Each structure stands twice: as structure tokens, then as C-alpha cells.
Amino acid sequence: MANANSLSQLALQKFKKNFWGVLSFWFVILGILLAIFAYALAPDNSQNANQQHISIHSKKPGFKATILTIPSKLEQEQSFLDKLLFGKEDNSTELPIVDYKFEGESIIVTPYTDESIKGLPKTYSFASFPKGLTKTEIESQFINEQTFLLGTDKYGRDLLSRMLVGIRISLSIGFVAVFISLLIGISLGALAGFYGGKIDAAIMWLINVTWSIPTLLLVIAITLALGKGFWQVFIAVGLTMWVEVARVVRGQVMSVKNMQYVTAARALGFTNGIIIVKHILPNILAPVIVISAANFAAAILIESGLSFLGIGAQPPMPSWGAMIKDHYSYIILGKAYLAIIPGLGIMSLVMAFMLIGNALRDALDVKS
């Protein structure tokens, strides 16, 4: 046990010396924190950051607008945890305006349309707002200037808020897909490598059949069979990524199952299950950890590709792949940032996991 601890400490020290690995690790940690507190940080904390302002669609980063909020009569009580995890159930109406004035018991506003077209004035009575509010209170609570730091998308939604909530999709698909792939891959790989014979032949046949089908094609087939949606993508991606894990685990188990510590465990009367779980698997985890980091990156790319094709996370749920799909035509319309920003998000997250995988490979290399 002391030797194992010392080897783990050596691996940790080597990892800490890898600048890009450590930087990528903290970048991923930052991404996880942003995903957890997405609704607390997002300027638009409505569910799925889906507050639309069609009149100010496709605006550049830094765009500012005065927003009049007409509260809903059907406001629902929500706990703090519910708002943090799922966003605010906001049924209020937000209207970008150019100007406003009070007349009697009404507020007259000029809606924002286009710089060259003046919108027709709209009148809202004080009855549209909570009872008992004065003009000053209505002005301070329901008329605010908003800055869209990353601009707005083609539906006038805040792009920064959509990016923050969208990171949840990418990270959660990675975690769930890798968990499913490890669960299936380690189980089948360990059984094939340890028992050999017909069990090994049957599992290898299943591995080879699955391996021969193009990953994206298999994911599309599973997604179409299970239906479009969020959890279906998780399952589909996870069920296609276990093959590489199973092959590596099988090879590792075959190389160590005849070693002295396994023979000693048999002599002490341990069952095959205990020998596999407590003696063999802990000694072959290094390559599995490296593969998991690479699979995490691959899962993010596959989910983005599926969302781009329209069979991933469904609207209005924000997905970086779907955001690129919605705006890739804007690249030639002088608003390329609408597609580039989510593209950079995907690229940076995938690169971070690949760099972590490379750093782990170097740190866990027993030969060095």
C-alpha cells in the first residue's frame, strides 16, 4: 500500500510540473463551476435563458438597450435551489424601448425596432404592474438598461446567458457518457481478459461488431430509436464509447492475471470477483484514466455534432452545437461571431480535456 501511495505521489508531482495539464485542469474546474452556477451568473436567468427580444436580434457584443419588463400575473413561488438548478420560471414580457413617458395612470413607450424606422407608441396602464407602485418605483424596478456583453442571437436572446447554460450540456454529456462507457467497458473487458475461452470470444465478437459501425452512424441510429432529447443523447453516446475501454481493459487484465499477487490471492481463497475488483482493476486504471479524458473530449464533439444535425438537445435548451447550426449562415453576413463564439467554447473545452489526457499519460507512464 505504501508503494502504491508513493507511486501516486510521484504521478501527482509529475502532473503538477506539466504546465498545460495543470492549466487545462483549472480551466475544466472553472467550466464546472460556471455550469453549476450558470443561472446565478447569467444576465438572463429565465429557464434555458430563453427570453426573446426579436427587435434587437443579432446585435454585436457590447450592445446596450433599455428594457421595459411587464410582469406576469402568474408568478410562481420557487425555491432558491430550484432557481439555481433550473432557472427562473419567468413568464414576464420584456420589451426593448427607445423612449418612454408617463401620462396619468399610464406609461407610453416607443418600442425599439430599427435605427431607421420609428416604432409605433404603446400604452401600458399601471394595472399591468403590481398594485400600489408609484411612477418612480415602476421606473426603477421595471425599466432597466441592459448590456449584452456577447451580443444577441437571431431571436434576440442574450448570447452570454445561452453560452453559460449551454456549458452544462457539454459537461454533463461528457460525465454521463464516460460513466456509461466505463461501466460497460470495464465490466466486459475484465470478464473477457480474466476468463478467456468462449466468454472472451463472445465479448470480442460483440466488440468487433460495435467497432465496425461508424460512431456517428451508430449514435444517430440509437438516438432515432430512443427518440430525440437530452437523456437519449447521453445514453446513445455512452453506448458507443465503451468499446475502446473494453479492449484496453481486456489486454491489461490478460497481462497481469498470471502475476504473483494474483496467484497469492487465489491461494488465500479469494473468489474470482474479489480478485478482479480488489486486486487486478486497481493496478490497471492508469490507461483507463487516460482513455476517459479522451472519451470526455470525444463525447463533447459528438454531442455538438448531433445538436448541429438537429437530433441532439432540442430547442429551447441551449447547446453549443445547435447555436452554431442556427448561426453558421451569419458568417457571410458580417456577423460571424454568432457562430465563432460557441465554436471557440467547444474547441477550448475539447482541447482542455485532450491536454489533461496527455498530461495524465506522461504522469502515469510507469516506464519513466
Side-chain angles (χ1 to χ4, degrees):
M1 183 64 71
N3 186 43
N5 288 336
S6 63
L7 288 174
S8 300
Q9 290 170 1
L10 283 172
L12 183 60
Q13 289 172 5
K14 285 186 69 178
F15 182 82
K16 287 180 178 178
K17 291 178 181 177
N18 189 308
F19 172 78
W20 291 109
V22 173
L23 180 65
S24 299
F25 172 78
W26 286 113
F27 180 82
V28 170
I29 294 298
L30 175 63
I32 292 171
L33 292 175
L34 289 176
I36 294 171
F37 298 104
Y39 283 112
L41 298 170
D44 177 10
N45 65 347
S46 62
Q47 287 186 347
N48 296 314
N50 195 41
Q51 188 65 258
Q52 300 183 13
H53 318 93
I54 300 298
S55 59
I56 55 171
H57 68 89
S58 312
K59 295 299 180 182
K60 293 183 178 180
F63 174 77
K64 293 183 179 181
T66 303
I67 305 292
L68 169 67
T69 303
I70 308 298
S72 170
K73 304 292 184 182
L74 302 172
E75 285 292 329
Q76 298 181 356
E77 287 293 327
Q78 274 185 283
S79 66
F80 172 77
L81 187 62
D82 189 39
K83 287 182 181 178
L84 181 68
L85 294 177
F86 305 108
K88 184 180 178 183
E89 291 183 8
D90 193 358
N91 297 314
S92 60
T93 302
E94 291 190 354
L95 179 69
I97 61 175
V98 177
D99 193 16
Y100 66 93
K101 62 180 179 179
F102 291 98
E103 283 190 5
E105 294 295 310
S106 300
I107 177 173
I108 301 174
V109 300
T110 304
Y112 184 101
T113 51
D114 187 86
E115 286 82 353
S116 59
I117 303 173
K118 189 175 181 180
L120 296 175
K122 290 187 176 182
T123 302
Y124 296 95
S125 70
F126 283 8
S128 301
F129 303 95
K131 291 182 179 179
L133 294 182
T134 64
K135 294 179 182 179
T136 306
E137 289 171 333
I138 290 175
E139 190 174 19
S140 62
Q141 293 181 32
F142 297 99
I143 301 176
N144 301 293
E145 185 178 68
Q146 292 186 18
T147 301
F148 299 89
L149 295 177
L150 293 182
T152 59
D153 67 6
K154 70 177 185 179
Y155 299 107
R157 297 175 294 198
D158 180 46
L159 196 59
L160 174 60
S161 302
R162 301 281 291 175
M163 286 293 296
L164 287 172
V165 180
I167 197 173
R168 286 186 171 189
I169 306 291
S170 295
L171 287 176
S172 56
I173 189 74
F175 279 119
V176 176
V178 167
F179 174 76
I180 293 173
S181 67
L182 288 177
L183 189 66
I184 299 174
I186 291 177
S187 300
L188 294 181
L191 289 174
F194 189 82
Y195 289 104
K198 291 183 178 179
I199 294 176
D200 182 32
I203 292 175
M204 281 307 298
W205 177 85
L206 180 62
I207 288 173
N208 289 330
V209 169
T210 308
W211 196 288
S212 65
I213 304 172
T215 302
L216 192 58
L217 185 63
L218 186 58
V219 169
I220 290 172
I222 294 173
T223 305
L224 292 176
L226 297 176
K228 296 180 182 180
F230 189 54
W231 292 104
Q232 289 89 328
V233 175
F234 284 6
I235 296 169
V237 176
L239 290 177
T240 60
M241 303 188 75
W242 64 269
V243 182
E244 189 177 0
V245 177
R247 286 176 71 98
V248 170
V249 170
R250 172 181 175 271
Q252 292 289 317
V253 171
M254 290 179 73
S255 66
V256 302
K257 70 177 182 180
N258 293 320
M259 287 191 172
Q260 290 181 349
Y261 67 88
V262 178
T263 305
R266 282 201 183 98
L268 290 171
F270 290 117
T271 62
N272 289 339
I274 293 176
I275 291 172
I276 292 172
V277 174
K278 290 192 174 182
H279 295 82
I280 294 179
L281 290 182
N283 288 286
I284 64 167
L285 283 181
V288 175
I289 292 171
V290 176
I291 289 174
S292 297
N295 281 351
F296 211 115
I300 294 171
L301 281 176
I302 292 172
E303 186 279 327
S304 300
L306 289 173
S307 295
F308 184 86
L309 294 172
I311 53 176
Q314 297 300 298
M317 188 175 288
S319 165
W320 289 351
M323 290 165 73
I324 295 175
K325 175 197 174 186
D326 287 340
H327 301 104
Y328 71 90
S329 60
Y330 284 72
I331 293 173
I332 60 174
L333 298 176
K335 297 178 180 178
Y337 62 91
L338 289 170
I340 289 175
I341 290 173
L344 288 174
I346 295 170
M347 185 185 76
S348 58
L349 206 54
V350 169
M351 185 179 292
F353 279 106
M354 294 305 295
L355 290 173
I356 289 174
N358 291 340
L360 287 172
R361 181 195 61 203
D362 295 338
L364 297 170
D365 185 7
V366 292
K367 294 179 181 177
S368 62

